[in-house]
């Protein structure tokens, strides 16, 4: 061990890389991190954090409208200034970048500014210098991917959309995943005339069908123009905007097009092919339970490995990886079941466990409890926004195997429910839990009649 420069060399200072570096350093390991872009990776710079800030900004739209029924008059119609939001966001991210730098520094991790290349099983090259390490961790994350079509170079991706020079009054999103529905909601809320184009029958493939349909209806009510079963054929620059022609023949003129068509591992130029590191068919890095690639001294975690592309998953993987490689006890394998997730479309989706469709496939008999109601706030606000809550129960064991919500702060609500689902609690446990009144969340412990079996 002593003849290497470091015990662990981490490539990429995103959520997973930083957590692994700090946690390994805390065990006494000598750790370095190379990063050629920004500290904190996608989540902090062009993902979760700025997205949530923009989502807050967009929610004000509803708040202004909802306030009238509660007695508020707003003297002039509220005006939104894109540059203020964007520039305040930039300042906040700079502050977070600084915190990440100090965290690494405080942990005794050497931070190297540059793109590292793996040149041997135990060596990297960065800024022309060869550095050796007993273990190399590839935590380089993913990168937005855009399909090629005529004019695809006129689109922006999710790295670029936060920093547009001016606010697009007419906005179009291509895709039907997390990023597409979130940004359609954000730009719609900020006041843009917004279109979402999705090639399939209904967006959010893989989510509970009822959740998808409910979200479709709520987003449409809020004014997002949804175009399903079509795709972009071409985009042309025209006077005053972009002309987008769809495969169904429709034509739209907009100011910006966001391609939210998925992300790919960011492995170019990393030198892994030369070492014969095995990839999965989708181009992600294949790792075992110990996060080792086919070359055991080269480890990987996070988005680059093709698991759920979520910050808390990368953090959990980092803690696990460090226990495996620098701890004194072998941890049990990381459990990827029942990972709760939220989609910050408006209204938000929060979900944990199995969809109704997955539960039907897995169990002999299930019970579904669902409630679709008008939240109390909207009795006075006049808004027609509704809320969906749903529990999926395995009939034989009475276990709650899935919980879903579409509504205000669904992510906040589902986080608590996720503990119960993970702890394998039964519907009877939910039923004996006394609710908190008046909340929307109490519905999760008061649903008594089976909606369907
Ligand atoms: P997703 O993989 O979730 O969605 C990509 C979308 O693009 C799908 O709807 C897909 O359609 C569509 N698509 C793919 N290829 C084409 C094509 N050639 N033409 C037209 N449409 C296409 O990726 P995202 O970019 O939305 O997000 C990446 C990941 O980041 C997510 O999966 C999620 O894990 C993570 N994320 C998490 C967030 C959160 O936790 N709130 C927020 C944002 C991102 P189809 O369904 O038909 O394949």
């Amino acid at each position: 061990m002593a003849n290497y420069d470091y015990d662990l060399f981490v490539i990429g200072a995103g959520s997973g890389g930083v957590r692994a570096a700090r946690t390994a350093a805390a065990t006494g390991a000598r750790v370095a991190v190379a990063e050629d872009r920004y500290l904190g990776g996608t989540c902090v710079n062009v993902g979760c954090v700025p997205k949530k800030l923009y989502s807050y900004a967009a929610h004000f739209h509803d708040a202004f409208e909802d306030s009238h029924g509660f007695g508020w008059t707003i003297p002039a119609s509220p005006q939104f200034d894109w540059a203020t939001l964007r520039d305040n966001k930039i300042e906040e991210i700079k502050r977070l970048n600084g915190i990440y730098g100090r965290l690494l520094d405080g942990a005794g991790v050497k931070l190297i500014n540059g793109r590292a290349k793996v040149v041997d099983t135990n060596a990297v090259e960065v800024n022309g210098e060869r550095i050796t390490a007993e273990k190399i961790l590839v935590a380089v994350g993913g990168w937005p991917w855009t399909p090629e079509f005529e004019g695809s170079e006129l689109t922006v991706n999710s790295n670029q959309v936060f920093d547009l020079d001016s606010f697009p009054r007419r906005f179009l999103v291509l895709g039907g995943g997390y990023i597409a529905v979130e940004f359609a909601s954000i730009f719609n809320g900020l006041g843009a005339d917004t279109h979402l184009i999705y090639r399939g029958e209904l967006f959010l493939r893989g989510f509970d069908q009822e959740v998808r349909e409910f979200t479709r209806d709520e987003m449409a009510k809020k004014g997002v123009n949804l175009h399903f079963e079509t795709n972009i054929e071409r985009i042309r620059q025209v006077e005053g905007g972009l002309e987008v022609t769809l495969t169904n023949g429709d034509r739209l003129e907009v100011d910006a097009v966001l391609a939210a068509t998925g992300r790919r591992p960011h492995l170019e130029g990393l030198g892994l092919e030369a070492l014969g590191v095995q990839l999965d068919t989708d181009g992600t890095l294949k790792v075992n339970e110990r996060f080792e690639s086919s070359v055991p001294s080269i480890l990987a975690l996070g988005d680059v490995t093709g698991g759920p592309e979520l910050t808390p998953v990368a953090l959990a993987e980092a803690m696990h990886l460090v226990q495996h490689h620098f701890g004194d006890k072998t941890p049990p394998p990381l459990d990827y079941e029942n990972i709760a997730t939220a989609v910050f479309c408006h209204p938000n989706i929060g979900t944990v466990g199995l969809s109704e469709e997955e539960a039907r496939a897995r169990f002999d008999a299930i019970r579904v409890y669902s409630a679709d109601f008008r939240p109390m706030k909207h009795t006075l606000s006049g808004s027609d926004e509704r809320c969906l809550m749903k529990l999926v129960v395995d009939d034989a064991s009475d276990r709650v195997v899935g919980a879903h919500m579409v509504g205000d702060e669904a992510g906040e609500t589902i986080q608590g429910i996720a503990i119960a689902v993970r702890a394998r609690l039964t519907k009877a446990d939910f039923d004996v839990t006394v609710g908190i009144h008046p909340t929307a969340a109490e519905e999760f412990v008061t649903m008594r009649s089976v909606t369907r079996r």
Side-chain angles (χ1 to χ4, degrees), residues 346-358:
H346 295 189
N348 298 172
I349 301 172
T351 174
V352 60
L354 304 179
S355 66
E356 183 177 337
E357 296 71 37
E358 286 166 336

Side-chain angles (χ1 to χ4, degrees), residues 51 147 176-179 182 198-199 205 231 260-262 309-310 342:
K51 180 275 308 292
Y178 280 77
I179 298 181
E182 290 183 345
Y198 175 55
R199 63 182 176 181
R205 190 160 57 81
N231 212 332
T261 39
E309 295 174 57
L310 301 169

Side-chain angles (χ1 to χ4, degrees), residues 241-410:
L242 300 171
E243 184 195 72
V244 182
T245 306
L246 305 183
T247 50
N248 65 9
D250 286 354
R251 255 183 219 178
L252 299 162
E253 204 182 299
V254 296
D255 301 311
V257 176
L258 167 66
T261 39
R263 295 170 57 84
R264 300 275 158 97
H266 195 204
L267 290 170
E268 293 83 29
L270 217 57
L272 297 179
E273 315 86 64
L275 290 174
V277 175
Q278 269 177 30
L279 301 184
D280 255 325
T281 44
D282 60 358
T284 57
L285 257 175
K286 226 179 172 146
V287 289
N288 62 17
E289 254 173 43
R290 294 167 45 82
F291 303 95
E292 289 159 345
S293 72
S294 57
V295 176
S297 60
I298 300 181
L299 317 176
L301 57 66
D303 289 0
V304 80
T305 59
E309 295 174 57
L310 301 169
T311 293
V313 170
L315 298 178
E317 290 176 344
M319 309 292 277
H320 250 71
L321 179 147
V322 170
Q323 284 180 48
H324 274 298
H325 294 272
F326 300 94
D328 35 25
K329 268 205 312 252
T330 301
L334 190 59
D335 181 5
Y336 289 90
E337 286 236 330
N338 295 322
I339 292 171
T341 170
V343 187
F344 295 95
C345 48
H346 295 189
N348 298 172
I349 301 172
T351 174
V352 60
L354 304 179
S355 66
E356 183 177 337
E357 296 71 37
E358 286 166 336
R360 275 187 205 292
R362 195 173 304 184
F363 300 105
D364 289 339
I366 62 162
R367 301 192 305 271
V368 175
Y369 298 80
S370 86
D372 168 345
F373 59 95
R374 184 187 196 190
M376 188 193 211
K377 182 176 167 189
H378 298 315
T379 54
L380 294 199
S381 76
S383 161
D384 59 358
E385 182 177 314
R386 296 186 69 79
C387 179
L388 173 74
M389 289 188 182
K390 174 165 180 180
L391 292 175
V392 182
V393 179
D394 165 32
D395 200 40
S397 65
D398 195 42
R399 256 183 61 216
V400 176
V401 293
H404 309 275
M405 172 174 173
V406 187
D408 217 15
E409 303 290 12

Side-chain angles (χ1 to χ4, degrees), residues 143-149 152-153 155-161 172-183 196-200 205 230-232 235 257-265 309:
W143 201 253
W145 172 83
T146 304
E148 276 194 26
F149 48 79
S152 57
E153 71 284 358
T155 62
V156 292
N157 63 31
S158 58
N159 288 353
Q160 300 160 323
V161 71
L172 185 147
V173 189
L174 174 64
Y178 280 77
I179 298 181
V181 296
E182 290 183 345
F183 277 95
L196 182 147
I197 312 294
Y198 175 55
R199 63 182 176 181
R205 190 160 57 81
T230 186
N231 212 332
I232 296 184
I235 306 179
V257 176
L258 167 66
T261 39
R263 295 170 57 84
R264 300 275 158 97
E309 295 174 57

